[in-house]
Amino acid sequence: MKRNVLGIIAEYSPFHNGHLQHLIKSKELTNSDFTICVMGGNFGQRGTTSLIDKWTKAEMAIKSGIDLVIELPVLYNLSSAENFASGAIKILDNLKIVDFLSFGSESGDIHILNNIAQVLIDQPTEYVTMLNRELNQGNSFPKAREKALLLYLNNIRKYANVISSPNNILGIEYIKALVQQKSNIKPITIKRTAVNHNEIHVKDNITSATSIREYVRNGRLNEVINTMPAEVVKILKFKLEHGECVYEINSLEKEILFTLRKMPIADIANLPDVNEGLEFSIKNAANSCNNVKDLIFAVKSKRYTHTRIARILLYSILGITKKDMEISFKSKPYIRVLGFNKNGEFLLSQIAKENKQLRIITSPKKFLDKNTNKSLKRMLDIDIWATNVYTLAYEFNSSANLDFTKNLIKL
């Protein structure tokens, strides 16, 4: 009898009851025996820091029912929704054993999401004309695309809230990536209930990761304890006691301001997502502002969103250039294993059998010693440096080179 393998793409910052519900329901709907999560590392897709480090997130996920956790390289994780989705799907598809992809969405309707994805894949002339018109009016790309899609699909009642919701947008990008990469993985979506992505409140022991981070940052963990599995709360308390939680990008604001003040204009212009003279605005803001919040506010505009500016700031301290981002577009990423349980160990053996050419990393040092692919070396170097930068925000001890010294999570 065939055993189904479920794929999930997540950030788990931190893992909470909503994630647990999604995992349980996804396994039921797909009749899956195994679950693989491609997980964002120490930074988030929306230009944020992760509340806890990637190994701790992997431990939380595995103790909550995930079998195998694979890290999404920083070049994808700290990128547009399109590239984020593309990188994660590349990984899941390359494993050659994943049957389903399940993601949460505000819509909960895979057919509606698929309709929108198909327009973005086909790029009809009428839609492209509408998109260019919206861009020429000074809208950011996400807003211009939303407006153009609504005009093209010509059904505001059916599509309006769908195109503007963050998890719907990611879901559409997952579907797009599956089609473009000719993957056999079948997508399913589960409707998010109770609390949306950015809402800061608790309902029926469910709240968002954004909400949990806000409560924890304000010293109010006890008010959201019931929104996370007991094992996750235990781990989170340990990290808090040891000063190893990073609440927001502001935790690295002096490093960001120092880097941008030191960088020549040409180097700022070479950061991904910087164009149309944005480098001058960033340089002027860095020279005059004393914190990241003011810097983002000074640079942000109708065309350049808060998220885009925040990502650019992180690119600066992580040393990520436009050339690096090109690597992510052209490369098939390695499989960087963060942790697994016994089921996950079995999955790894199956993955190795199915795709003998696959680059599986369980030891970064061994990989770097043997690897001859310059693009993958650069990709991994950025992951390693990202951890070194991330730990600068720790309250007490701040060890470097954790990628070489941290053991895999084995449960």
Side-chain angles (χ1 to χ4, degrees), residues 5-7 36-38 68 70 88-98 185 333-337 347-348 350-356 358-360:
V5 178
L6 170 69
I36 299 172
C37 177
V38 175
L68 172 63
I70 296 167
I89 296 300
K90 282 178 188 176
I91 289 173
L92 287 175
D93 194 54
N94 286 347
L95 300 179
K96 305 298 183 192
I97 66 167
V98 178
I185 297 171
Y334 41 69
I335 308 302
R336 170 75 189 279
V337 178
L347 284 172
L348 280 173
Q350 295 300 111
I351 290 164
K353 283 181 190 175
E354 291 293 329
N355 191 347
K356 290 182 169 57
L358 202 58
R359 294 174 172 89
I360 300 175

PDB file of all heavy atoms in Angstrom, residues 5-7 36-38 68 70 88-98 185 333-337 347-348 350-356 358-360:
ATOM      1  N   VAL A   5       2.879  11.235   1.261  1.00  0.00           N
ATOM      2  CA  VAL A   5       3.776  12.191   1.921  1.00  0.00           C
ATOM      3  C   VAL A   5       3.220  13.594   1.705  1.00  0.00           C
ATOM      4  O   VAL A   5       2.959  14.018   0.575  1.00  0.00           O
ATOM      5  CB  VAL A   5       5.209  12.094   1.358  1.00  0.00           C
ATOM      6  CG1 VAL A   5       6.105  13.138   2.026  1.00  0.00           C
ATOM      7  CG2 VAL A   5       5.774  10.691   1.576  1.00  0.00           C
ATOM      8  N   LEU A   6       3.041  14.311   2.806  1.00  0.00           N
ATOM      9  CA  LEU A   6       2.486  15.663   2.803  1.00  0.00           C
ATOM     10  C   LEU A   6       3.615  16.683   2.906  1.00  0.00           C
ATOM     11  O   LEU A   6       4.522  16.534   3.718  1.00  0.00           O
ATOM     12  CB  LEU A   6       1.538  15.819   3.995  1.00  0.00           C
ATOM     13  CG  LEU A   6       1.022  17.226   4.336  1.00  0.00           C
ATOM     14  CD1 LEU A   6       0.073  17.714   3.249  1.00  0.00           C
ATOM     15  CD2 LEU A   6       0.336  17.218   5.691  1.00  0.00           C
ATOM     16  N   GLY A   7       3.553  17.719   2.086  1.00  0.00           N
ATOM     17  CA  GLY A   7       4.501  18.823   2.172  1.00  0.00           C
ATOM     18  C   GLY A   7       3.834  20.063   2.739  1.00  0.00           C
ATOM     19  O   GLY A   7       2.678  20.364   2.422  1.00  0.00           O
ATOM     20  N   ILE A  36       6.643  16.499   5.601  1.00  0.00           N
ATOM     21  CA  ILE A  36       7.900  17.235   5.438  1.00  0.00           C
ATOM     22  C   ILE A  36       7.582  18.722   5.441  1.00  0.00           C
ATOM     23  O   ILE A  36       6.690  19.173   4.733  1.00  0.00           O
ATOM     24  CB  ILE A  36       8.590  16.870   4.113  1.00  0.00           C
ATOM     25  CG1 ILE A  36       8.930  15.377   4.079  1.00  0.00           C
ATOM     26  CG2 ILE A  36       9.842  17.713   3.896  1.00  0.00           C
ATOM     27  CD1 ILE A  36       9.443  14.887   2.735  1.00  0.00           C
ATOM     28  N   CYS A  37       8.317  19.482   6.240  1.00  0.00           N
ATOM     29  CA  CYS A  37       8.129  20.942   6.262  1.00  0.00           C
ATOM     30  C   CYS A  37       9.369  21.627   5.703  1.00  0.00           C
ATOM     31  O   CYS A  37      10.485  21.399   6.176  1.00  0.00           O
ATOM     32  CB  CYS A  37       7.868  21.429   7.682  1.00  0.00           C
ATOM     33  SG  CYS A  37       7.715  23.236   7.787  1.00  0.00           S
ATOM     34  N   VAL A  38       9.181  22.470   4.691  1.00  0.00           N
ATOM     35  CA  VAL A  38      10.220  23.387   4.246  1.00  0.00           C
ATOM     36  C   VAL A  38       9.995  24.673   5.036  1.00  0.00           C
ATOM     37  O   VAL A  38       8.962  25.323   4.897  1.00  0.00           O
ATOM     38  CB  VAL A  38      10.142  23.657   2.732  1.00  0.00           C
ATOM     39  CG1 VAL A  38      11.171  24.706   2.319  1.00  0.00           C
ATOM     40  CG2 VAL A  38      10.371  22.372   1.957  1.00  0.00           C
ATOM     41  N   LEU A  68      10.032  15.682   9.213  1.00  0.00           N
ATOM     42  CA  LEU A  68      11.317  16.117   8.662  1.00  0.00           C
ATOM     43  C   LEU A  68      11.256  17.613   8.386  1.00  0.00           C
ATOM     44  O   LEU A  68      10.323  18.090   7.745  1.00  0.00           O
ATOM     45  CB  LEU A  68      11.612  15.345   7.362  1.00  0.00           C
ATOM     46  CG  LEU A  68      12.822  15.770   6.530  1.00  0.00           C
ATOM     47  CD1 LEU A  68      14.128  15.578   7.301  1.00  0.00           C
ATOM     48  CD2 LEU A  68      12.866  14.977   5.213  1.00  0.00           C
ATOM     49  N   ILE A  70      13.258  20.835   6.691  1.00  0.00           N
ATOM     50  CA  ILE A  70      14.293  21.271   5.764  1.00  0.00           C
ATOM     51  C   ILE A  70      14.287  22.789   5.736  1.00  0.00           C
ATOM     52  O   ILE A  70      13.227  23.412   5.636  1.00  0.00           O
ATOM     53  CB  ILE A  70      14.024  20.714   4.350  1.00  0.00           C
ATOM     54  CG1 ILE A  70      14.109  19.182   4.360  1.00  0.00           C
ATOM     55  CG2 ILE A  70      14.983  21.308   3.325  1.00  0.00           C
ATOM     56  CD1 ILE A  70      13.572  18.529   3.110  1.00  0.00           C
ATOM     57  N   ALA A  88      10.737  27.143  -2.292  1.00  0.00           N
ATOM     58  CA  ALA A  88      10.180  26.077  -1.457  1.00  0.00           C
ATOM     59  C   ALA A  88       9.641  24.929  -2.312  1.00  0.00           C
ATOM     60  O   ALA A  88       9.833  23.746  -1.980  1.00  0.00           O
ATOM     61  CB  ALA A  88       9.076  26.642  -0.565  1.00  0.00           C
ATOM     62  N   ILE A  89       8.984  25.260  -3.428  1.00  0.00           N
ATOM     63  CA  ILE A  89       8.448  24.223  -4.317  1.00  0.00           C
ATOM     64  C   ILE A  89       9.585  23.472  -5.010  1.00  0.00           C
ATOM     65  O   ILE A  89       9.508  22.252  -5.203  1.00  0.00           O
ATOM     66  CB  ILE A  89       7.480  24.833  -5.354  1.00  0.00           C
ATOM     67  CG1 ILE A  89       6.245  25.429  -4.662  1.00  0.00           C
ATOM     68  CG2 ILE A  89       7.062  23.793  -6.386  1.00  0.00           C
ATOM     69  CD1 ILE A  89       5.417  24.452  -3.854  1.00  0.00           C
ATOM     70  N   LYS A  90      10.657  24.177  -5.377  1.00  0.00           N
ATOM     71  CA  LYS A  90      11.825  23.500  -5.947  1.00  0.00           C
ATOM     72  C   LYS A  90      12.318  22.403  -4.997  1.00  0.00           C
ATOM     73  O   LYS A  90      12.620  21.284  -5.420  1.00  0.00           O
ATOM     74  CB  LYS A  90      12.966  24.498  -6.192  1.00  0.00           C
ATOM     75  CG  LYS A  90      12.830  25.367  -7.416  1.00  0.00           C
ATOM     76  CD  LYS A  90      14.023  26.331  -7.493  1.00  0.00           C
ATOM     77  CE  LYS A  90      13.860  27.355  -8.592  1.00  0.00           C
ATOM     78  NZ  LYS A  90      14.974  28.343  -8.593  1.00  0.00           N
ATOM     79  N   ILE A  91      12.390  22.732  -3.723  1.00  0.00           N
ATOM     80  CA  ILE A  91      12.874  21.761  -2.732  1.00  0.00           C
ATOM     81  C   ILE A  91      11.923  20.582  -2.631  1.00  0.00           C
ATOM     82  O   ILE A  91      12.333  19.422  -2.740  1.00  0.00           O
ATOM     83  CB  ILE A  91      13.064  22.439  -1.360  1.00  0.00           C
ATOM     84  CG1 ILE A  91      14.266  23.389  -1.405  1.00  0.00           C
ATOM     85  CG2 ILE A  91      13.269  21.396  -0.261  1.00  0.00           C
ATOM     86  CD1 ILE A  91      14.455  24.223  -0.166  1.00  0.00           C
ATOM     87  N   LEU A  92      10.641  20.851  -2.424  1.00  0.00           N
ATOM     88  CA  LEU A  92       9.668  19.757  -2.259  1.00  0.00           C
ATOM     89  C   LEU A  92       9.620  18.869  -3.501  1.00  0.00           C
ATOM     90  O   LEU A  92       9.555  17.640  -3.402  1.00  0.00           O
ATOM     91  CB  LEU A  92       8.278  20.323  -1.963  1.00  0.00           C
ATOM     92  CG  LEU A  92       8.065  20.900  -0.561  1.00  0.00           C
ATOM     93  CD1 LEU A  92       6.681  21.540  -0.464  1.00  0.00           C
ATOM     94  CD2 LEU A  92       8.225  19.834   0.521  1.00  0.00           C
ATOM     95  N   ASP A  93       9.649  19.500  -4.676  1.00  0.00           N
ATOM     96  CA  ASP A  93       9.563  18.722  -5.914  1.00  0.00           C
ATOM     97  C   ASP A  93      10.820  17.885  -6.144  1.00  0.00           C
ATOM     98  O   ASP A  93      10.744  16.748  -6.612  1.00  0.00           O
ATOM     99  CB  ASP A  93       9.330  19.661  -7.099  1.00  0.00           C
ATOM    100  CG  ASP A  93       8.892  18.916  -8.348  1.00  0.00           C
ATOM    101  OD1 ASP A  93       7.897  18.165  -8.257  1.00  0.00           O
ATOM    102  OD2 ASP A  93       9.545  19.060  -9.390  1.00  0.00           O
ATOM    103  N   ASN A  94      11.978  18.425  -5.789  1.00  0.00           N
ATOM    104  CA  ASN A  94      13.241  17.704  -5.981  1.00  0.00           C
ATOM    105  C   ASN A  94      13.361  16.467  -5.104  1.00  0.00           C
ATOM    106  O   ASN A  94      14.154  15.569  -5.398  1.00  0.00           O
ATOM    107  CB  ASN A  94      14.432  18.630  -5.706  1.00  0.00           C
ATOM    108  CG  ASN A  94      14.648  19.633  -6.825  1.00  0.00           C
ATOM    109  OD1 ASN A  94      14.082  19.503  -7.905  1.00  0.00           O
ATOM    110  ND2 ASN A  94      15.461  20.636  -6.572  1.00  0.00           N
ATOM    111  N   LEU A  95      12.582  16.420  -4.029  1.00  0.00           N
ATOM    112  CA  LEU A  95      12.638  15.259  -3.137  1.00  0.00           C
ATOM    113  C   LEU A  95      12.083  14.006  -3.813  1.00  0.00           C
ATOM    114  O   LEU A  95      12.410  12.886  -3.434  1.00  0.00           O
ATOM    115  CB  LEU A  95      11.858  15.536  -1.844  1.00  0.00           C
ATOM    116  CG  LEU A  95      12.346  16.722  -1.003  1.00  0.00           C
ATOM    117  CD1 LEU A  95      11.466  16.881   0.239  1.00  0.00           C
ATOM    118  CD2 LEU A  95      13.806  16.572  -0.593  1.00  0.00           C
ATOM    119  N   LYS A  96      11.194  14.217  -4.785  1.00  0.00           N
ATOM    120  CA  LYS A  96      10.615  13.125  -5.596  1.00  0.00           C
ATOM    121  C   LYS A  96       9.716  12.158  -4.814  1.00  0.00           C
ATOM    122  O   LYS A  96       9.374  11.097  -5.307  1.00  0.00           O
ATOM    123  CB  LYS A  96      11.720  12.298  -6.295  1.00  0.00           C
ATOM    124  CG  LYS A  96      12.687  13.092  -7.146  1.00  0.00           C
ATOM    125  CD  LYS A  96      11.996  13.780  -8.293  1.00  0.00           C
ATOM    126  CE  LYS A  96      12.984  14.523  -9.187  1.00  0.00           C
ATOM    127  NZ  LYS A  96      12.323  15.419 -10.137  1.00  0.00           N
ATOM    128  N   ILE A  97       9.335  12.538  -3.593  1.00  0.00           N
ATOM    129  CA  ILE A  97       8.470  11.632  -2.816  1.00  0.00           C
ATOM    130  C   ILE A  97       7.233  12.338  -2.260  1.00  0.00           C
ATOM    131  O   ILE A  97       6.404  11.709  -1.609  1.00  0.00           O
ATOM    132  CB  ILE A  97       9.233  10.960  -1.656  1.00  0.00           C
ATOM    133  CG1 ILE A  97       9.659  11.992  -0.609  1.00  0.00           C
ATOM    134  CG2 ILE A  97      10.427  10.162  -2.147  1.00  0.00           C
ATOM    135  CD1 ILE A  97      10.120  11.369   0.696  1.00  0.00           C
ATOM    136  N   VAL A  98       7.091  13.638  -2.504  1.00  0.00           N
ATOM    137  CA  VAL A  98       5.987  14.404  -1.919  1.00  0.00           C
ATOM    138  C   VAL A  98       4.753  14.303  -2.819  1.00  0.00           C
ATOM    139  O   VAL A  98       4.822  14.524  -4.024  1.00  0.00           O
ATOM    140  CB  VAL A  98       6.374  15.881  -1.715  1.00  0.00           C
ATOM    141  CG1 VAL A  98       5.202  16.681  -1.145  1.00  0.00           C
ATOM    142  CG2 VAL A  98       7.593  15.989  -0.797  1.00  0.00           C
ATOM    143  N   ILE A 185       3.036  17.322  -7.597  1.00  0.00           N
ATOM    144  CA  ILE A 185       2.494  17.531  -6.252  1.00  0.00           C
ATOM    145  C   ILE A 185       1.122  18.192  -6.363  1.00  0.00           C
ATOM    146  O   ILE A 185       0.952  19.187  -7.075  1.00  0.00           O
ATOM    147  CB  ILE A 185       3.439  18.406  -5.408  1.00  0.00           C
ATOM    148  CG1 ILE A 185       4.791  17.702  -5.217  1.00  0.00           C
ATOM    149  CG2 ILE A 185       2.815  18.732  -4.044  1.00  0.00           C
ATOM    150  CD1 ILE A 185       5.855  18.585  -4.574  1.00  0.00           C
ATOM    151  N   PRO A 333      18.027  24.609  -5.196  1.00  0.00           N
ATOM    152  CA  PRO A 333      18.681  24.655  -3.886  1.00  0.00           C
ATOM    153  C   PRO A 333      19.024  23.276  -3.345  1.00  0.00           C
ATOM    154  O   PRO A 333      18.439  22.273  -3.728  1.00  0.00           O
ATOM    155  CB  PRO A 333      17.639  25.341  -2.993  1.00  0.00           C
ATOM    156  CG  PRO A 333      16.337  25.135  -3.691  1.00  0.00           C
ATOM    157  CD  PRO A 333      16.638  25.065  -5.156  1.00  0.00           C
ATOM    158  N   TYR A 334      19.999  23.271  -2.441  1.00  0.00           N
ATOM    159  CA  TYR A 334      20.356  22.059  -1.710  1.00  0.00           C
ATOM    160  C   TYR A 334      19.252  21.716  -0.713  1.00  0.00           C
ATOM    161  O   TYR A 334      18.330  22.510  -0.469  1.00  0.00           O
ATOM    162  CB  TYR A 334      21.679  22.241  -0.969  1.00  0.00           C
ATOM    163  CG  TYR A 334      21.812  23.601  -0.305  1.00  0.00           C
ATOM    164  CD1 TYR A 334      21.029  23.957   0.797  1.00  0.00           C
ATOM    165  CD2 TYR A 334      22.685  24.562  -0.823  1.00  0.00           C
ATOM    166  CE1 TYR A 334      21.120  25.203   1.372  1.00  0.00           C
ATOM    167  CE2 TYR A 334      22.780  25.823  -0.241  1.00  0.00           C
ATOM    168  CZ  TYR A 334      22.005  26.133   0.844  1.00  0.00           C
ATOM    169  OH  TYR A 334      22.079  27.377   1.412  1.00  0.00           O
ATOM    170  N   ILE A 335      19.351  20.545  -0.108  1.00  0.00           N
ATOM    171  CA  ILE A 335      18.395  20.109   0.914  1.00  0.00           C
ATOM    172  C   ILE A 335      19.108  20.193   2.253  1.00  0.00           C
ATOM    173  O   ILE A 335      19.870  19.299   2.631  1.00  0.00           O
ATOM    174  CB  ILE A 335      17.909  18.665   0.645  1.00  0.00           C
ATOM    175  CG1 ILE A 335      17.398  18.520  -0.796  1.00  0.00           C
ATOM    176  CG2 ILE A 335      16.839  18.261   1.660  1.00  0.00           C
ATOM    177  CD1 ILE A 335      16.276  19.449  -1.180  1.00  0.00           C
ATOM    178  N   ARG A 336      18.882  21.279   2.980  1.00  0.00           N
ATOM    179  CA  ARG A 336      19.557  21.493   4.269  1.00  0.00           C
ATOM    180  C   ARG A 336      18.649  20.961   5.382  1.00  0.00           C
ATOM    181  O   ARG A 336      17.615  21.551   5.712  1.00  0.00           O
ATOM    182  CB  ARG A 336      19.834  22.979   4.478  1.00  0.00           C
ATOM    183  CG  ARG A 336      20.309  23.368   5.890  1.00  0.00           C
ATOM    184  CD  ARG A 336      21.741  22.979   6.130  1.00  0.00           C
ATOM    185  NE  ARG A 336      22.129  23.159   7.530  1.00  0.00           N
ATOM    186  CZ  ARG A 336      22.477  24.336   8.077  1.00  0.00           C
ATOM    187  NH1 ARG A 336      22.474  25.433   7.362  1.00  0.00           N
ATOM    188  NH2 ARG A 336      22.853  24.378   9.347  1.00  0.00           N
ATOM    189  N   VAL A 337      19.032  19.834   5.949  1.00  0.00           N
ATOM    190  CA  VAL A 337      18.227  19.185   6.992  1.00  0.00           C
ATOM    191  C   VAL A 337      18.501  19.849   8.337  1.00  0.00           C
ATOM    192  O   VAL A 337      19.652  20.000   8.751  1.00  0.00           O
ATOM    193  CB  VAL A 337      18.554  17.676   7.071  1.00  0.00           C
ATOM    194  CG1 VAL A 337      17.752  17.019   8.193  1.00  0.00           C
ATOM    195  CG2 VAL A 337      18.281  16.995   5.733  1.00  0.00           C
ATOM    196  N   LEU A 347      12.250   8.819   5.790  1.00  0.00           N
ATOM    197  CA  LEU A 347      12.034   9.652   4.611  1.00  0.00           C
ATOM    198  C   LEU A 347      13.352  10.032   3.943  1.00  0.00           C
ATOM    199  O   LEU A 347      13.465  10.012   2.717  1.00  0.00           O
ATOM    200  CB  LEU A 347      11.271  10.930   4.999  1.00  0.00           C
ATOM    201  CG  LEU A 347       9.772  10.793   5.263  1.00  0.00           C
ATOM    202  CD1 LEU A 347       9.221  12.105   5.814  1.00  0.00           C
ATOM    203  CD2 LEU A 347       9.021  10.402   3.999  1.00  0.00           C
ATOM    204  N   LEU A 348      14.344  10.380   4.748  1.00  0.00           N
ATOM    205  CA  LEU A 348      15.648  10.759   4.195  1.00  0.00           C
ATOM    206  C   LEU A 348      16.260   9.612   3.392  1.00  0.00           C
ATOM    207  O   LEU A 348      16.863   9.833   2.329  1.00  0.00           O
ATOM    208  CB  LEU A 348      16.604  11.190   5.314  1.00  0.00           C
ATOM    209  CG  LEU A 348      16.429  12.615   5.840  1.00  0.00           C
ATOM    210  CD1 LEU A 348      17.314  12.848   7.056  1.00  0.00           C
ATOM    211  CD2 LEU A 348      16.758  13.640   4.753  1.00  0.00           C
ATOM    212  N   GLN A 350      14.573   7.293   1.868  1.00  0.00           N
ATOM    213  CA  GLN A 350      13.778   7.177   0.641  1.00  0.00           C
ATOM    214  C   GLN A 350      14.152   8.267  -0.363  1.00  0.00           C
ATOM    215  O   GLN A 350      14.231   8.024  -1.565  1.00  0.00           O
ATOM    216  CB  GLN A 350      12.282   7.267   0.964  1.00  0.00           C
ATOM    217  CG  GLN A 350      11.748   6.125   1.796  1.00  0.00           C
ATOM    218  CD  GLN A 350      11.939   4.780   1.095  1.00  0.00           C
ATOM    219  OE1 GLN A 350      12.740   3.945   1.515  1.00  0.00           O
ATOM    220  NE2 GLN A 350      11.224   4.575  -0.001  1.00  0.00           N
ATOM    221  N   ILE A 351      14.371   9.478   0.150  1.00  0.00           N
ATOM    222  CA  ILE A 351      14.751  10.606  -0.712  1.00  0.00           C
ATOM    223  C   ILE A 351      16.081  10.317  -1.401  1.00  0.00           C
ATOM    224  O   ILE A 351      16.241  10.546  -2.605  1.00  0.00           O
ATOM    225  CB  ILE A 351      14.830  11.906   0.121  1.00  0.00           C
ATOM    226  CG1 ILE A 351      13.429  12.353   0.559  1.00  0.00           C
ATOM    227  CG2 ILE A 351      15.522  13.025  -0.669  1.00  0.00           C
ATOM    228  CD1 ILE A 351      13.426  13.375   1.674  1.00  0.00           C
ATOM    229  N   ALA A 352      17.036   9.797  -0.642  1.00  0.00           N
ATOM    230  CA  ALA A 352      18.349   9.471  -1.201  1.00  0.00           C
ATOM    231  C   ALA A 352      18.240   8.412  -2.298  1.00  0.00           C
ATOM    232  O   ALA A 352      18.957   8.452  -3.296  1.00  0.00           O
ATOM    233  CB  ALA A 352      19.280   9.000  -0.087  1.00  0.00           C
ATOM    234  N   LYS A 353      17.318   7.467  -2.120  1.00  0.00           N
ATOM    235  CA  LYS A 353      17.114   6.417  -3.136  1.00  0.00           C
ATOM    236  C   LYS A 353      16.486   6.985  -4.401  1.00  0.00           C
ATOM    237  O   LYS A 353      16.848   6.617  -5.514  1.00  0.00           O
ATOM    238  CB  LYS A 353      16.189   5.324  -2.570  1.00  0.00           C
ATOM    239  CG  LYS A 353      16.852   4.367  -1.604  1.00  0.00           C
ATOM    240  CD  LYS A 353      15.830   3.340  -1.140  1.00  0.00           C
ATOM    241  CE  LYS A 353      16.388   2.509   0.019  1.00  0.00           C
ATOM    242  NZ  LYS A 353      15.349   1.594   0.553  1.00  0.00           N
ATOM    243  N   GLU A 354      15.504   7.872  -4.233  1.00  0.00           N
ATOM    244  CA  GLU A 354      14.749   8.400  -5.366  1.00  0.00           C
ATOM    245  C   GLU A 354      15.569   9.371  -6.223  1.00  0.00           C
ATOM    246  O   GLU A 354      15.342   9.503  -7.414  1.00  0.00           O
ATOM    247  CB  GLU A 354      13.478   9.111  -4.881  1.00  0.00           C
ATOM    248  CG  GLU A 354      12.426   8.185  -4.293  1.00  0.00           C
ATOM    249  CD  GLU A 354      11.813   7.257  -5.341  1.00  0.00           C
ATOM    250  OE1 GLU A 354      11.714   7.664  -6.510  1.00  0.00           O
ATOM    251  OE2 GLU A 354      11.463   6.122  -4.976  1.00  0.00           O
ATOM    252  N   ASN A 355      16.483  10.101  -5.579  1.00  0.00           N
ATOM    253  CA  ASN A 355      17.239  11.124  -6.304  1.00  0.00           C
ATOM    254  C   ASN A 355      18.690  11.118  -5.826  1.00  0.00           C
ATOM    255  O   ASN A 355      19.071  11.861  -4.927  1.00  0.00           O
ATOM    256  CB  ASN A 355      16.589  12.495  -6.077  1.00  0.00           C
ATOM    257  CG  ASN A 355      17.138  13.553  -7.002  1.00  0.00           C
ATOM    258  OD1 ASN A 355      18.157  13.362  -7.654  1.00  0.00           O
ATOM    259  ND2 ASN A 355      16.460  14.697  -7.055  1.00  0.00           N
ATOM    260  N   LYS A 356      19.478  10.276  -6.434  1.00  0.00           N
ATOM    261  CA  LYS A 356      20.868  10.085  -5.991  1.00  0.00           C
ATOM    262  C   LYS A 356      21.749  11.314  -6.234  1.00  0.00           C
ATOM    263  O   LYS A 356      22.806  11.453  -5.640  1.00  0.00           O
ATOM    264  CB  LYS A 356      21.467   8.856  -6.681  1.00  0.00           C
ATOM    265  CG  LYS A 356      20.876   7.532  -6.188  1.00  0.00           C
ATOM    266  CD  LYS A 356      21.539   6.336  -6.857  1.00  0.00           C
ATOM    267  CE  LYS A 356      21.165   5.022  -6.184  1.00  0.00           C
ATOM    268  NZ  LYS A 356      19.724   4.769  -6.123  1.00  0.00           N
ATOM    269  N   LEU A 358      20.815  14.368  -5.619  1.00  0.00           N
ATOM    270  CA  LEU A 358      20.369  15.447  -4.736  1.00  0.00           C
ATOM    271  C   LEU A 358      21.438  15.794  -3.711  1.00  0.00           C
ATOM    272  O   LEU A 358      22.051  14.908  -3.112  1.00  0.00           O
ATOM    273  CB  LEU A 358      19.086  15.008  -4.016  1.00  0.00           C
ATOM    274  CG  LEU A 358      18.170  16.103  -3.467  1.00  0.00           C
ATOM    275  CD1 LEU A 358      17.717  17.041  -4.571  1.00  0.00           C
ATOM    276  CD2 LEU A 358      16.973  15.480  -2.779  1.00  0.00           C
ATOM    277  N   ARG A 359      21.640  17.088  -3.515  1.00  0.00           N
ATOM    278  CA  ARG A 359      22.634  17.544  -2.526  1.00  0.00           C
ATOM    279  C   ARG A 359      21.941  17.700  -1.176  1.00  0.00           C
ATOM    280  O   ARG A 359      21.239  18.671  -0.938  1.00  0.00           O
ATOM    281  CB  ARG A 359      23.258  18.862  -2.971  1.00  0.00           C
ATOM    282  CG  ARG A 359      24.104  18.740  -4.233  1.00  0.00           C
ATOM    283  CD  ARG A 359      24.551  20.123  -4.690  1.00  0.00           C
ATOM    284  NE  ARG A 359      25.506  20.063  -5.777  1.00  0.00           N
ATOM    285  CZ  ARG A 359      25.175  20.048  -7.062  1.00  0.00           C
ATOM    286  NH1 ARG A 359      23.887  20.073  -7.410  1.00  0.00           N
ATOM    287  NH2 ARG A 359      26.092  20.016  -7.998  1.00  0.00           N
ATOM    288  N   ILE A 360      22.130  16.726  -0.305  1.00  0.00           N
ATOM    289  CA  ILE A 360      21.528  16.745   1.034  1.00  0.00           C
ATOM    290  C   ILE A 360      22.597  17.161   2.040  1.00  0.00           C
ATOM    291  O   ILE A 360      23.663  16.537   2.115  1.00  0.00           O
ATOM    292  CB  ILE A 360      20.945  15.369   1.403  1.00  0.00           C
ATOM    293  CG1 ILE A 360      19.853  14.965   0.395  1.00  0.00           C
ATOM    294  CG2 ILE A 360      20.370  15.384   2.820  1.00  0.00           C
ATOM    295  CD1 ILE A 360      19.301  13.574   0.599  1.00  0.00           C
TER     296      ILE A 360
END
